[in-house]
Amino acid sequence: AIVHSADVSNPARAWSVTQAWAERCLDEFFAQGDQEKALGIPVQFLNDRERLNRPNSQIGFIEFMIAPLFAAEIWLWPMLCEYGDCLSANIGFWEELWETQTSPSSEEAEKVRSRVAEVEDMLSRASMRIAY
């Protein structure tokens, strides 16, 4: 788990690092999607530059893949809490970008805000070692 978390730690770094690596990864996915389109084969959603919203994809990535992993590690090793702090800040930055790019309805914005708040709460509880 430790080696895996090092491999996927970019969302838990400073915002400049997080954003740069997310863009690089998504550009790679989109290049694959472009090749899939050129070959006439189905394009996976994360590889489709015309359908995917970058900030929303990162919110989901952090929410479902990264935050649960880091919350478990922070629970075990509290000195890793700075990564949780960065994750909380970064998911908030992605939320702001999403709102700016999509101008969502108040209902859509509240749904995403709720998802982000749950992630922030999970990470906060882990750093305080409070069961979720």
Side-chain angles (χ1 to χ4, degrees):
I2 298 296
V3 172
H4 179 65
S5 65
D7 186 43
V8 296
S9 67
N10 295 319
R13 304 291 180 170
W15 173 243
S16 60
V17 173
T18 294
Q19 187 176 28
W21 275 103
E23 295 298 327
R24 284 184 183 109
C25 290
L26 289 169
D27 286 344
E28 184 177 323
F29 294 163
F30 294 156
Q32 178 178 330
D34 295 344
Q35 290 178 346
E36 292 168 347
K37 281 181 189 174
L39 294 171
I41 59 177
V43 178
Q44 298 296 315
F45 181 74
L46 287 176
N47 298 352
D48 192 338
R49 72 175 69 244
E50 296 170 12
R51 294 183 12 208
L52 184 76
N53 176 273
R54 289 174 184 242
N56 194 44
S57 74
Q58 295 307 296
I59 291 168
F61 181 57
I62 292 170
E63 177 182 16
F64 295 110
M65 301 295 294
I66 304 304
L69 173 63
F70 276 82
E73 291 178 341
I74 291 165
W75 178 273
L76 293 171
W77 301 289
M79 292 183 67
L80 297 177
C81 68
E82 71 182 82
Y83 296 109
D85 296 342
C86 284
L87 276 170
S88 290
N90 290 338
I91 197 170
F93 291 141
W94 287 119
E95 178 189 9
E96 290 172 19
L97 279 176
W98 173 77
E99 286 184 12
T100 300
Q101 290 179 8
T102 64
S103 300
S105 68
S106 57
E107 184 178 309
E108 290 174 310
E110 182 52 40
K111 285 181 183 177
V112 171
R113 169 90 295 270
S114 176
R115 290 171 50 203
V116 168
E118 284 186 38
V119 169
E120 292 167 341
D121 185 56
M122 175 196 328
L123 293 164
S124 176
R125 288 173 162 276
S127 67
M128 292 185 291
R129 300 185 105 185
I130 298 171
Y132 195 71

